[in-house]
Amino acid sequence: MSTSPEKRIKIAYLTHRNAQDKREWSGTLYHMAQSLQKHAGDVVYAGPYNPRLMFFFLKAVNKLSLLILRKRYSVPYNYFLTLLYKFRFTRIIKKEQPDIVFAAAASGEMSQLNIKQPIIYLGDITFNLLKDHYPNYQNLSAFSLWESEKIESKTFRKAAALVFSSQWAAGSAKKDYGVPAEKINIISYGANMDQIPDTQTAIQKSQKGPWHFLFLGMDWVRKGGEAVFNTFELLQKQGYDVKLTVCGCVPPEKFRNPAMTIIPFLNKNNPEDAQQLFQLLLDAHFLFVPSKSDCTPIVFCEANAFGLPVITTDVGGITSVVENGINGHTLPLESSATDYANTIKPYLEDKALYQQLSENSRSYYEQKLNWDQWGKSMSELINRLVK
């Protein structure tokens, strides 16, 4: 008589967003779900859930607060919104009876939950860091600050384990919210691409034509677009054969150059757009995104998958995915175009040096920045909590 296979763990995937849509959170929610299904257990989705009337009301509150108090109101961190989430998701969890709940960047969604199952909270930032580094969360009213911190603290207390993508975020959870070290896990994200080139294809960068810089980002200002453009033009003036592709946004009119290409938007759900993005990453020599504020950008994982060194800044959790001289360079936030140019020029002048950096970047992806390693690490954590 054959024995039945061991029952797979059932994981409730908690987020109000659509985790099956590759456009949500740049595809991170989708790829996490796929990785959990592959390595950890059977995934059931608690979302999407969009209480439109409540969101409409809270956005109106924010506008009113700006008008009267000259202060913002944080829409995602609202007590009554968390109650709506509680009623909705408690009902789904009771129906599905999962073994564990995985809350992906879902502080509001899980803060009021009272369930028997252990909850894993995943995030790439804490509210305390959010309010100091992101414009939409700066200049909040005193009440909104208090309410948001209350919700975040409750979320962290409820979680059986917390998973962050950087030491920066994990350190804040420990320091600012008193989370015990044994509850905190640091697990790197992966590349949000359905198609990944093999190693040899990724590192065979043509060095015969122009050196190709790629800026990928939806926010020209926050992602440091001006620094990219100024560095690119400085290298041109110094005689280097370079070109620049900006993808994801349209820079202001003053940032234009004959050797510059602008691609306003690519939708990964569209096969043609996905293929165009694949080719952009394959053809480029550097991903150049000197962010003014950031967590751990997924696009850096994607760049490494294509053997693409990253030129960026030492802000937020970036140094958890980019190491100086290993898979790119992280410069101080106040760095000038000259500083960036001086960092890049040795690679433009020494093809062997560049090739080594490209190969290192691909190795970094294979060892650390891929969804298989994330899924296996999550599987170990889930099994420990369930069993």
Side-chain angles (χ1 to χ4, degrees):
M1 183 177 177
S2 62
T3 57
S4 59
E6 185 178 349
K7 179 178 176 289
R8 278 170 62 84
I9 291 172
K10 191 174 185 180
I11 306 163
Y13 197 118
L14 180 68
T15 171
H16 80 275
R17 295 184 280 193
N18 186 355
Q20 298 178 77
D21 186 343
K22 295 176 189 175
R23 291 171 298 183
E24 291 280 10
W25 199 11
S26 302
T28 303
L29 297 177
Y30 170 83
H31 285 277
M32 283 179 176
Q34 300 306 305
S35 185
L36 288 173
Q37 183 69 36
K38 180 179 179 181
H39 295 288
D42 291 325
V43 174
V44 294
Y45 297 93
Y49 173 52
N50 183 14
R52 293 180 181 176
L53 282 177
M54 176 59 81
F55 280 134
F56 177 81
F57 171 74
L58 293 176
K59 287 175 183 177
V61 170
N62 180 44
K63 288 181 179 179
L64 199 61
S65 180
L66 281 168
L67 184 66
I68 298 173
L69 303 175
R70 307 288 188 208
K71 296 283 185 177
R72 294 179 182 273
Y73 180 81
S74 173
V75 171
Y77 291 92
N78 170 265
Y79 174 75
F80 294 104
L81 179 61
T82 66
L83 288 181
L84 283 182
Y85 287 145
K86 174 186 176 180
F87 297 140
R88 170 79 173 202
F89 294 129
T90 298
R91 186 166 67 249
I92 293 171
I93 290 167
K94 283 184 178 179
K95 177 186 174 184
E96 294 290 349
Q97 287 299 306
D99 299 298
I100 197 164
V101 174
F102 172 72
S107 185
E109 290 94 319
M110 70 165 276
S111 67
Q112 299 287 350
L113 283 181
N114 288 310
I115 55 176
K116 62 182 181 180
Q117 294 90 343
I119 307 174
I120 296 175
Y121 174 81
L122 175 138
D124 59 0
I125 195 168
T126 66
F127 178 77
N128 192 66
L129 295 174
L130 201 61
K131 68 180 175 62
D132 291 333
H133 293 86
Y134 281 78
N136 286 346
Y137 292 91
Q138 292 173 348
N139 192 35
L140 292 173
S141 68
F143 175 77
S144 187
L145 279 170
W146 173 83
E147 185 180 39
S148 301
E149 289 287 12
K150 199 86 171 172
I151 289 169
E152 189 88 321
S153 297
K154 198 168 185 178
T155 292
F156 290 173
R157 287 197 305 271
K158 278 185 180 291
L162 293 96
V163 176
F164 294 104
S165 55
S166 69
Q167 183 60 55
W168 174 68
S172 173
K174 187 177 179 181
K175 178 186 174 184
D176 301 323
Y177 296 91
V179 178
E182 58 270 19
K183 281 179 63 172
I184 298 174
N185 304 267
I186 302 174
I187 308 176
S188 299
Y189 295 161
N192 292 346
M193 304 286 291
D194 290 332
Q195 183 184 4
I196 299 291
D198 60 70
T199 302
Q200 202 56 36
T201 302
I203 63 176
Q204 283 181 337
K205 303 285 183 186
S206 172
Q207 298 176 18
K208 294 179 181 178
W211 290 93
H212 184 184
F213 297 104
L214 178 61
F215 174 91
L216 276 175
M218 296 179 70
D219 189 333
W220 174 257
V221 175
R222 184 172 66 82
K223 294 290 185 175
E226 184 171 355
V228 173
F229 184 83
N230 290 341
T231 305
F232 158 68
E233 286 211 321
L234 177 60
L235 288 169
Q236 271 189 327
K237 290 173 184 175
Q238 292 177 349
Y240 293 94
D241 188 10
V242 292
K243 68 175 183 177
L244 170 65
T245 298
V246 172
C247 181
C249 63
V250 178
E253 281 294 329
K254 65 179 180 178
F255 300 106
R256 294 292 185 274
N257 185 290
M260 176 181 176
T261 301
I262 298 172
I263 304 171
F265 178 72
L266 290 176
N267 180 0
K268 288 180 181 178
N269 285 346
N270 182 315
E272 291 181 2
D273 284 7
Q275 183 58 41
Q276 187 176 356
L277 179 60
F278 178 91
Q279 201 61 47
L280 277 176
L281 288 162
L282 200 59
D283 292 343
H285 293 98
F286 293 93
L287 180 71
F288 195 176
V289 184
S291 298
K292 295 180 179 179
S293 61
D294 236 320
C295 301
T296 46
I298 289 290
V299 70
F300 293 174
C301 304
E302 294 167 353
N304 277 251
F306 286 76
L308 203 55
V310 178
I311 306 298
T312 185
T313 43
D314 183 1
V315 298
I318 285 177
T319 53
S320 289
V321 291
V322 180
E323 291 189 49
N324 265 319
I326 304 298
N327 62 334
H329 287 272
T330 57
L331 277 69
L333 184 59
E334 63 275 10
S335 296
S336 66
T338 301
D339 296 324
Y340 286 110
N342 288 340
T343 299
I344 294 167
K345 281 191 288 189
Y347 299 103
L348 308 188
E349 296 167 359
D350 187 336
K351 293 181 179 181
L353 188 65
Y354 172 80
Q355 187 63 33
Q356 186 60 62
L357 191 66
S358 175
E359 291 176 9
N360 288 349
S361 299
R362 174 65 186 208
S363 295
Y364 210 89
Y365 161 76
E366 291 173 352
Q367 295 166 17
K368 186 178 180 182
L369 303 179
N370 63 81
W371 285 118
D372 280 332
Q373 67 79 27
W374 182 89
K376 290 171 184 176
S377 298
M378 286 298 301
S379 179
E380 291 176 9
L381 175 60
I382 287 169
N383 275 280
R384 189 164 72 245
L385 291 173
V386 169
K387 297 178 180 179

